[in-house]
């Protein structure tokens, strides 16, 4: 079965010392989902400029449809300055008042959302009211059994408790990292260990699945069947890898996790493959490296 998977939100150029790299979490997610075998699209907006035209060209090159890329005549395509630490960790300074702040509800976008098996959205593209209203409208338009994945991606000052709470109420899957969990713990008064806090978030917002990525320490998945109250955990350690940069690694993890969930794979198997995919992306420059065919084959068995 060829699943319909959507990323909705920002697309931008990561301005690295080595040159511009295509980025933006929803676009990275869709690229990796497509590379792993899904039919993927991005609902986003670019400026009527060279950066925007190059994004459209790159989407075509990567096999992502261009029909849900909106073009804005007034504001530019988004960019982000990226500084890498010695360990390859990325730190972003994100331009404001750009095209993806004004994503609109269109007939095409709604039609795509209504066919979705999974939709992935974050907090960053909801920093301005036009895109926030559009994203929440499109997530709500997905079928009742679709995966609604909130890949939180906290960036700079571009989030609030209200925004995160609204998004969690829409979502049925949450993905966050070990830098973001303490922020949510303080925001929602979560207590105890990381596992306790994950359980409290899942209970409060009736989440099907919660994924915590921990960089070199691997990842933790929590899954709950709300029909019979059964809870499962999967704790996957990571293996060492020579890190070039971590840009896009979390998005590739999310894409692999979503494909595994759609294919109803075992939770430990999902966690293992998602870790392998993310580790590979860390070993390559930029957010959207060419993916080895072996990864897609793991999801086609």
């Amino acid at each position: 079965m060829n699943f319909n998977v959507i990323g909705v939100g920002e697309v931008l150029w990561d301005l690295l010392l080595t040159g511009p790299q295509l980025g933006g979490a929803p676009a990275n997610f869709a690229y990796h989902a497509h590379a792993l075998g899904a039919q993927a699209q991005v609902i986003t907006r670019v400026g009527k400029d060279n950066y925007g035209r190059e994004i459209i060209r790159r989407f075509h090159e990567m096999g992502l449809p261009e029909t849900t890329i909106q073009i804005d005549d007034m504001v530019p395509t988004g960019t982000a300055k990226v500084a890498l630490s010695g360990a390859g960790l990325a730190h972003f300074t994100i331009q404001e008042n750009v095209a993806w702040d004004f994503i609109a509800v269109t007939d095409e976008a709604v039609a795509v959302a209504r066919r979705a098996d999974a939709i992935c959205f974050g907090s960053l593209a909801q920093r301005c009211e036009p895109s926030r209203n559009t994203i929440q409208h499109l997530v709500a338009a997905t079928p009742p059994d679709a995966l609604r994945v909130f890949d939180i991606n906290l960036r700079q000052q571009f989030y609030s408790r209200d925004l995160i709470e609204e998004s969690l109420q829409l979502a049925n899957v949450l993905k966050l990292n070990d830098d973001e969990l303490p922020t949510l713990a303080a925001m929602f008064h979560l207590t105890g260990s990381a596992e306790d806090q994950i359980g409290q978030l899942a209970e409060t917002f009736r989440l099907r699945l919660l994924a915590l990525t921990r960089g070199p320490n691997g990842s933790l998945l929590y899954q709950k069947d709300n029909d019979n109250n059964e809870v499962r955990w999967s704790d996957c350690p990571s293996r060492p890898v020579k890190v070039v940069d971590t840009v896009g690694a979390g998005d590739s993890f999310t894409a692999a996790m979503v494909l595994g969930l759609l294919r109803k794979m075992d939770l430990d198997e999902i966690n293992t493959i998602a870790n392998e995919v993310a580790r590979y992306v860390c070993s390559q420059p930029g957010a959207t490296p060419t993916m080895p065919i072996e990864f897609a084959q793991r999801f086609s068995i």
Side-chain angles (χ1 to χ4, degrees), residues 46-57:
V46 301
K48 195 173 185 178
D49 51 28
N50 288 337
Y51 273 153
R53 285 186 284 273
E54 181 61 13
I55 284 173
I56 292 170
R57 189 193 72 77

Side-chain angles (χ1 to χ4, degrees), residues 40-253:
Q41 287 183 258
V42 187
I43 300 171
T44 190
R45 195 173 182 93
V46 301
K48 195 173 185 178
D49 51 28
N50 288 337
Y51 273 153
R53 285 186 284 273
E54 181 61 13
I55 284 173
I56 292 170
R57 189 193 72 77
R58 287 286 296 276
F59 271 37
H60 181 75
E61 190 178 79
M62 294 189 299
L64 295 175
E66 305 144 35
T67 53
T68 48
I69 303 178
Q70 302 169 14
I71 299 174
D72 197 301
D73 293 334
M74 305 297 292
V75 291
T77 300
T79 60
K81 293 179 181 177
V82 184
L84 299 177
S85 70
L89 296 174
H91 303 276
F92 299 87
T93 305
I94 301 162
Q95 182 185 6
E96 298 186 58
N97 195 36
V98 294
W100 54 259
D101 285 318
F102 301 95
I103 302 168
V105 175
T106 65
D107 291 343
E108 174 72 14
V110 171
V112 167
R114 286 176 175 164
R115 296 193 300 268
D117 296 299
I119 189 167
C120 184
F121 67 109
S123 60
L124 177 58
Q126 297 186 74
R127 66 184 180 177
C128 291
E129 187 175 356
S131 283
R132 178 167 65 250
N133 291 341
T134 295
I135 289 168
Q136 294 188 12
H137 181 94
L138 294 175
V139 173
T142 59
D145 59 346
L147 296 176
R148 297 176 172 183
V149 183
F150 183 37
D151 190 349
I152 192 165
N153 273 326
L154 300 180
R155 294 285 184 257
Q156 296 170 227
Q157 75 280 16
F158 300 127
Y159 62 89
S160 66
R161 179 189 164 117
D162 286 349
L163 169 61
I164 290 172
E165 192 162 10
E166 287 170 4
S167 298
L168 286 169
Q169 287 168 347
L170 276 172
N172 52 34
V173 175
L174 170 64
K175 185 262 180 186
L176 74 169
N177 63 37
D178 51 1
D179 288 329
E180 293 162 339
L181 180 58
T183 301
L184 265 67
M187 194 176 280
F188 295 109
H189 310 293
L190 310 175
T191 58
S193 66
E195 289 83 354
D196 293 333
Q197 293 170 10
I198 286 168
Q200 290 162 44
L201 275 173
E203 286 293 326
T204 300
F205 295 102
R206 292 188 58 79
L207 299 169
R208 289 191 210 173
L209 186 133
L210 196 151
L212 176 69
T213 56
R214 305 172 299 197
N217 297 314
S219 54
L220 183 66
L221 301 185
Y222 167 106
Q223 187 176 49
K224 181 170 184 185
D225 185 332
N226 286 320
D227 291 331
N228 60 24
N229 246 17
E230 182 183 352
V231 171
R232 283 202 61 200
W233 291 89
S234 174
D235 191 342
C236 181
S238 188
R239 290 189 288 109
V241 66
K242 184 177 179 180
V243 175
V244 173
D245 66 58
T246 60
V247 182
D251 306 318
S252 70
F253 181 98

